Amino acid sequence: MNRILPALLHAAQRLAAAFTLPTSSVQPPRRRLFLSAAMLAAAIALSSQPAGAQGWQSEHWLGAWGTAPAGPPPDTSLQTFTDQTLRLIVHTSIGGNRVRIRVSNELGSTPLTIGAARIGLRAAGSDVAAGTDRALTFGGRSFVTIPPGAPALSDPVELNVPPLSDLAVSLYLPGTVQATTVHQLALQTNYVSLSGNFTAAPTLPVQRTIQVWPFLTEVDVDSPGPTIVTLGDSITDGTRSTPDTNNRWPDWLARRLQTERDPVLGINARFGILNRGISGNRLLGNSPNTLAGRSAQERFDRDVLATSGVRYLVVLIGINDIGNSSATSPVTSDDLIAGYRQLILRARAKGISVIGATLTPFEGAGYYSAEKEAVRQAVNNWIRNNDEFDAVIDFDRATRDPAHPTRFLPAYDSGDHLHPNDLGYQAMGNAVPLNLFRSAAKAAAPVK
């Protein structure tokens, strides 16, 4: 023990220095001290654990894919499954050699039973690639019953998951099940079987396809590196991007982190990126549409803090608060700034660096007005100039028309003047300075 503790303390100090954001991201010194103290405490706690307890602590889980649940849906869009298997397709941001899933009944009012679950690499359509199918268990059992309001994590299984790959997650639902916990805008074709448990079938006997993700909210891999959570609304969710192409702006960022070589480190950065955007979501209040999710402040613990390996948070939310503001229910820039400050404080309390993103143009959208534009401008000025976030991504500047700055550049406009098209989302992903995450990549790099 006397030999282990100094080594752990030294490693903690190196990690603390590596995870400190560069001075260009305007991170104050008190923040660096906080991270150092947290990592030092973690090293001391680890050294005091019995030898048998350190095996599971050596695992380092981070999110490879994730979405944000909402619901329950109105009757007109409620999905019902009767003795059927779902095969849900997800696209990884990072790879690893072990994998687990998180399933959710957090918006349900009755217990949810998953009768069987499996995971494998997707070959094409609903097909699972040969030799990659793995059975999933939950606490050693082949099934799990999840109480209302709760999630469940599967046990890990060995599976070589490449970065930027498609996984097929199969969930068998015995009896009649309503998808009360769902992400409505998957922009991904998923599959529902004929009656029966077909989780182990290489090719699913498909009854119908759906473009929602019921129950599945996260896939984790055992890999070094931190997780980035992108918290937002439809612009993070990827509304009006092309389905089945992974053209949301966080997808473009994930591709850059995997394919661009860092000019300083000379390695590909290892990051998980989870998209916690929900179309219609707001920072301060709840939409009357239950599929728009609870406010970002209300869902923060579930969708940010509970994410495996989270170390960075990118916040792009508030345009729906502004757009839905009214004389009877006004939203001011001061209201939004107070909301952002709460997210910053809650994230920093858990050692998470918070990156603010400016709100994109919306002139021409249905809820636009000059008064609301003034609120957006005030919010963006605060984000850029007050140094309260650890760093800033200027999505407004990246997407606006220089000749008409309150509008999207025409080449980036999906046509509704509120959401980018595929090219606009690519421009957003390209606007993220990778040096925001360079120090974390250095910490995750293999020791040579």
Side-chain angles (χ1 to χ4, degrees):
M1 183 67 69
N2 291 336
R3 291 192 301 271
I4 295 172
L5 183 55
L8 287 169
L9 295 178
H10 179 64
Q13 290 167 348
R14 291 179 61 196
L15 282 171
F19 271 89
T20 300
L21 286 172
T23 55
S24 61
S25 66
V26 297
Q27 185 172 348
R30 60 178 176 80
R31 177 80 178 121
R32 295 195 291 270
L33 290 173
F34 174 80
L35 284 174
S36 300
M39 292 181 179
L40 183 61
I44 294 171
L46 178 61
S47 70
S48 65
Q49 294 293 324
Q54 293 182 20
W56 65 267
Q57 292 200 17
S58 66
E59 297 178 340
H60 184 86
W61 291 102
L62 69 156
W65 171 89
T67 193
D75 292 343
T76 54
S77 58
L78 183 64
Q79 298 274 347
T80 300
F81 310 104
T82 302
D83 185 38
Q84 290 172 295
T85 301
L86 308 182
R87 185 154 289 170
L88 307 177
I89 309 302
V90 303
H91 190 68
T92 65
S93 58
I94 191 171
N97 295 317
R98 304 175 77 212
V99 65
R100 69 183 184 188
I101 69 171
R102 179 184 175 111
V103 287
S104 173
N105 191 26
E106 286 161 291
L107 283 306
S109 58
T110 59
L112 168 67
T113 295
I114 307 293
R118 301 181 78 93
I119 191 169
L121 298 181
R122 195 262 287 260
S126 69
D127 292 355
V128 177
T132 69
D133 180 49
R134 304 287 188 272
L136 294 170
T137 58
F138 300 85
R141 307 169 85 183
S142 62
F143 67 94
V144 63
T145 297
I146 309 172
L153 278 174
S154 76
D155 303 322
V157 293
E158 302 288 333
L159 178 64
N160 183 13
V161 177
L164 306 178
S165 62
D166 286 347
L167 295 175
V169 178
S170 301
L171 305 175
Y172 170 56
L173 305 174
T176 297
V177 178
Q178 293 184 325
T180 51
T181 301
V182 64
H183 187 86
Q184 187 69 10
L185 190 73
L187 294 169
Q188 172 65 58
T189 300
N190 298 302
Y191 303 90
V192 183
S193 77
L194 301 171
S195 295
N197 177 3
F198 296 101
T199 54
T203 298
L204 197 74
V206 176
Q207 182 197 75
R208 69 183 193 273
T209 61
I210 56 176
Q211 287 219 351
V212 301
W213 282 307
F215 309 123
L216 182 66
T217 60
E218 188 166 328
V219 175
D220 296 335
V221 293
D222 186 6
S223 177
T227 299
I228 304 165
V229 171
T230 61
L231 182 69
D233 49 38
S234 56
I235 297 174
T236 296
D237 209 4
T239 295
R240 296 178 74 89
S241 65
T242 304
D244 296 319
T245 60
N246 300 301
N247 271 318
R248 313 162 191 87
W249 76 257
D251 297 322
W252 284 104
L253 176 57
R255 282 190 277 271
R256 289 181 63 209
L257 287 166
Q258 288 297 326
T259 59
E260 294 184 16
R261 293 183 64 83
D262 187 282
V264 174
L265 299 175
I267 60 169
N268 298 118
R270 296 183 62 81
F271 291 90
I273 301 181
L274 268 67
N275 188 328
R276 303 294 199 188
I278 306 178
S279 182
N281 198 234
R282 305 181 190 182
L283 172 63
L284 302 176
N286 297 323
S287 168
N289 176 8
T290 56
L291 291 173
R294 313 300 288 179
S295 75
Q297 293 188 102
E298 183 173 341
R299 64 187 182 95
F300 187 82
D301 286 9
R302 180 195 69 205
D303 291 345
V304 178
L305 300 186
T307 301
S308 295
V310 58
R311 290 295 178 269
Y312 289 92
L313 169 65
V314 180
V315 176
L316 173 61
I317 196 164
I319 201 68
N320 289 318
D321 300 79
I322 296 172
N324 288 289
S325 177
S326 66
T328 56
S329 182
V331 174
T332 68
S333 58
D334 286 343
D335 295 331
L336 290 166
I337 290 167
Y340 295 134
R341 284 173 169 154
Q342 279 298 308
L343 299 188
I344 292 168
L345 289 170
R346 290 165 67 184
R348 284 181 175 167
K350 298 297 183 179
I352 300 168
S353 294
V354 192
I355 300 166
T358 54
L359 302 178
T360 51
F362 76 123
E363 183 180 348
Y367 55 28
Y368 176 85
S369 73
E371 294 77 16
K372 294 174 182 178
E373 173 64 19
V375 176
R376 184 182 78 93
Q377 293 289 351
V379 166
N380 282 351
N381 287 337
W382 175 82
I383 291 172
R384 291 186 183 108
N385 299 318
N386 280 270
D387 294 346
E388 295 197 37
F389 287 103
D390 293 313
V392 171
I393 302 167
D394 204 336
F395 285 143
D396 173 43
R397 186 169 287 119
T399 59
R400 70 193 183 194
D401 184 350
H404 196 153
T406 56
R407 286 181 175 266
F408 274 121
L409 189 73
Y412 295 163
D413 194 339
S414 69
D416 69 357
H417 312 300
L418 178 63
H419 301 98
N421 56 20
D422 289 351
L423 190 60
Y425 285 121
Q426 182 179 5
M428 292 177 67
N430 289 340
V432 180
L434 295 189
N435 63 5
L436 298 183
F437 315 113
R438 184 177 291 155
S439 58
K442 183 177 179 181
V447 176
K448 296 181 179 179

